[in-house]
Amino acid sequence: MNAATETLHFVRNEQVEAAPPPRLVRGPLAWMRENLFSSIPNALLTLATIYLLYVIVPPVLRFFILDAVWVGVDRDACRAETVGRPVGACWAFVADKINYFIYGSYPIPERWRVDVFFVLLAIGVAWMLWLNAPRRGLGAIYFFVVLPILSVLLLAGFKPLSLPPVQTSLWGGVLVTIVVSAVGIVFSLPFGVLLALGRRSKLPIVRLFSVVFIEFVRGVPLITVLFMANTMLPLFLSEGVTIDRLMRPLVGVALFASAYMAEVVRGGLQAMPKGQYEGAMALGLSYPRMMYFIILPQALRIVIPGIVNTFIGLFKDTTLVAIVGIFDLIRTIEASRVDPNWATPTTSLTGYAFAAVFYFLCCWGMSRYSLGVERRLAAGQKR
Amino acid sequence: MASAANQAPAKASLFYDPKVRGIFFQAILVLVIGFLFYEAITNAVSNLRAAGIASGFGFLTNPAGFDINQQLIPYSSSGSTYREAFVVGLLNTLLVAVIGIFFATILGFIVGIARLSTNWIVAKVSMVYVEIVRNLPLLLQLFFWYNAVLAPLPSPRQSINFGAGFYLNNRGLSLPKPILNDTAWLIPFAFLAGIVLTLLFRAWARRVQEATGRQYPVGLVGLGAILGLPIVIWLVLAAIGGTNPITFDIPEQQRFNLRGGMQVFPEFVALLLGLVTYTAGFIAEVVRAGILAVSRGQTEASYALGLKPSHTLRLVIVPQAMRVIIPPLTSQYLNLTKNSSLAVAIGYPDLVQVFMGTVLNQTGQAVEVVAITMAVYLTISLITSAIMNIYNRRVAIVER
């Protein structure tokens, strides 16, 4: 018995080996282990991606920055034979053509008018986009009524203010890109709202027209709408009435954008709880008042991200007017890159890179804004 | 007087009756739109008459008299009609759309899943790709591929040789051209038979599993049947027939040019590259949103039931994610098809370039040409959305 109890006791008589330190959970090494090398396939994937980046990024950087030519007056500045080193992007070409890219062939003494237009537009856009801006109702009137009239007078010319007329065939570059997208947004929002209301209306004929229009326009490519505007609009007008070359694609773009905007707005209308409609009706509001005071303010607010996304699409799609012969930014670049004065192997790529930077900054900025609004609206919904 | 007022609430005047108002507004709408149409049509008729342009669809049977560089059906500038030109353009549009959808789906799913990867660098690289591709106009990307990437390629003399008969130069891509011999039809037949066999085996395996719980490797058997059967047939045909059922005409590097093989034009390559990379960016976002839409609890519940990670993915997550993914994915497919009309900018002979470009310029019959072209796109999208609606009804969550 004694012996048995002794074996039951255990007294440790030597030091236990120290446990290994815990795995790092902080610091760059632990981060790398967790996010880059968590398993063997993951590690291989990481190495493959790093190799891919190694293949792509340094040559791109070298082309656009290190080997690039920044100043010069003609093609000799950008040719490897005359410069005596490998030449990357020819930014001198962009610097030389920058005014053409922005204003097109707009007469040089009148270009201040374009600058004023840009400033007026920037004020309107900022007013509309800044959700806490003072007097946003006034801003809407400014943006949808005052600004279009002012812009037409300013850009096309207005005799009483001694602004000489400027043919739209001289407009070009960023100016046309902005004008086309601004016309798109200014017309598509009100028409889109009307179409969306029509599509949800109880009146069968109104609904039919809205549905047919929306589905028709959304079912065909923009380029066919532009071709139609270009070739068929002049046919539909009575003889002797001509329609401006720039005006035709503008009509096409406005119609096209309205249909897409209508679907976005309809999403907002459908998202409104039924109680809002019923509450408004119980208060005795008529249909227009109910829509104007109760439903639309809320519905449009929740679809701001959708509207901005549609606008990003519209902004990218404005490039298509280049195909029907309007000198937007893309077309001015296409025209300049074949200029014999600047004929070098890298001219095309430089021109495209410039356009890419322009479009990327605009679209990416808008999508950031839309994300911000989305987060803000979601914050209001959180409890 | 007083009794009359008590009998019934005074009937609202017609002016305030919502029904009458509704009819009134609709009548005005019909009148306005009817007037616009009437004006447009009468003006168009008189304008067309003044310009001496014929109307009607009779022009479709007139000889076309222009060349199209890529044609899937026999077509020649001398003997073919406008109708044949239309079919050539339509087939070219469908060709680039189908191939583009195939590759854009693969690339889009890879990028979309990579964006959700736990591997930081993979996720970031895919994010940068998506942001760049989605924020640049497609037209700019097409010009980039066509004028900045494909145009500076070496001339046919110094073609880039990828091996196996694939050559790339500034005239496009040359690749081996398959030549089908008499017995070659058996191979696609074997392929179809493999698919049928797989379906039968799957149905049988499912029944057995429901009855006994035994599982069979349906995927492996299917792969074997679908790929193995044609290969076996091929080998058998080559062995007994003595000649290979499919031989390849491999392009050869000559002194100045490449001879033989199949030529893919640079316009097609540029359009395909542009459409695939652009649409893949959008598909990636659709896929990402779909996967994120399946709540984490589903995965946890599935693990708690003892399903393997692979089964969890295949039986729990993917079916639910697909319900969210498929509708926007279809609209991306439609977008790709519609965007293929940008081919006109780089000169790929698609429907718009051939029909709305050349044919419209030659005949001047804007109304008919525009109507036909739009009708084609409209039909494609209406059919697609009809199928989509049926699908949506099938997979919609049945709420109780």
Side-chain angles (χ1 to χ4, degrees), chain B residues 17-235:
Chain B
D17 186 344
K19 235 183 200 161
V20 177
R21 276 191 159 193
I23 293 172
F24 175 71
F25 283 132
Q26 298 192 67
I28 289 188
L29 183 72
V30 170
L31 280 180
V32 168
I33 290 177
F35 174 74
L36 286 179
F37 264 88
Y38 173 77
E39 271 292 296
I41 289 170
T42 47
N43 282 332
V45 167
S46 71
N47 282 333
L48 286 174
R49 197 169 295 147
I53 294 172
S55 58
F57 293 95
F59 75 97
L60 284 174
T61 50
N62 294 352
F66 63 93
D67 258 324
I68 302 177
N69 66 9
Q70 180 185 314
Q71 41 202 263
L72 297 179
I73 57 166
Y75 174 90
S76 69
S77 62
S78 50
S80 297
T81 60
Y82 284 127
R83 181 181 293 138
E84 278 155 333
F86 166 78
V87 176
V88 169
L90 178 61
L91 286 179
N92 282 343
T93 291
L94 293 179
L95 177 75
V96 79
V98 169
I99 300 181
I101 284 172
F102 177 74
F103 287 112
T105 310
I106 296 177
L107 186 59
F109 270 76
I110 292 175
V111 176
I113 292 168
R115 267 201 83 172
L116 292 172
S117 165
T118 51
N119 189 322
W120 182 84
I121 196 164
V122 170
K124 284 292 175 254
V125 167
S126 354
M127 189 192 84
V128 170
Y129 169 80
V130 169
E131 289 291 337
I132 289 179
V133 160
R134 274 162 47 104
N135 283 319
L136 294 180
L138 176 58
L139 186 66
L140 182 64
Q141 299 187 30
L142 288 181
F143 278 146
F144 165 76
W145 288 113
Y146 187 60
N147 292 326
V149 175
L150 294 181
L153 284 176
S155 64
R157 287 181 77 155
Q158 292 128 354
S159 300
I160 304 169
N161 188 351
F162 291 109
F166 287 83
Y167 292 93
L168 190 66
N169 56 47
N170 61 5
R171 304 242 188 97
L173 182 71
S174 290
L175 56 162
K177 178 184 187 180
I179 297 173
L180 305 178
N181 298 335
D182 299 341
T183 49
W185 61 273
L186 277 168
I187 290 172
F189 182 76
F191 181 74
L192 286 182
I195 292 178
V196 171
L197 268 181
T198 309
L199 288 179
L200 288 177
F201 180 72
R202 198 182 68 158
W204 176 79
R206 190 167 284 176
R207 235 184 8 252
V208 170
Q209 190 190 352
E210 272 169 18
T212 66
R214 265 196 77 180
Q215 292 183 345
Y216 288 92
V218 177
L220 278 179
V221 171
L223 198 71
I226 293 175
L227 286 182
L229 217 52
I231 293 174
V232 169
I233 294 274
W234 184 330
L235 293 178

Side-chain angles (χ1 to χ4, degrees), chain A residues 111-125:
Chain A
R111 281 182 180 170
W112 62 270
R113 284 153 60 174
V114 179
D115 296 334
V116 173
F117 162 70
F118 285 153
V119 171
L120 289 178
L121 184 72
I123 292 173
V125 168

Side-chain angles (χ1 to χ4, degrees), chain B residues 14 52 57 136 141 205-206 301 339 356 367 384 400:
Chain B
L14 276 183
F57 293 95
L136 294 180
Q141 299 187 30
R206 190 167 284 176
N339 282 335
M356 268 187 148
V367 181
T384 314
R400 274 174 266 199

Side-chain angles (χ1 to χ4, degrees), chain A residues 35 42 46 203 205 209 216 218-219 221 223 235-239 260 316 319 330 337 349 352 356 363-364, chain B residues 26 29 40 43-44 47 118-120 122 131 134-136 139 143-144 147-148 278 338 341 374 377-378 381:
Chain A
N35 291 304
N42 238 341
T46 304
L203 310 175
I205 297 179
F209 275 127
F216 174 76
R218 280 162 45 96
I223 189 77
L235 279 182
F236 289 155
L237 298 172
S238 52
E239 272 176 86
Y260 280 82
K316 289 191 293 174
T319 52
I330 295 277
R337 72 180 186 86
L349 203 49
Y352 294 142
C363 296
W364 192 75
Chain B
Q26 298 192 67
L29 183 72
N43 282 332
N47 282 333
T118 51
N119 189 322
W120 182 84
V122 170
E131 289 291 337
R134 274 162 47 104
N135 283 319
L136 294 180
L139 186 66
F143 278 146
F144 165 76
N147 292 326
Y278 182 76
K338 287 192 280 178
S341 59
M374 284 188 157
Y377 284 105
L378 212 53
S381 39

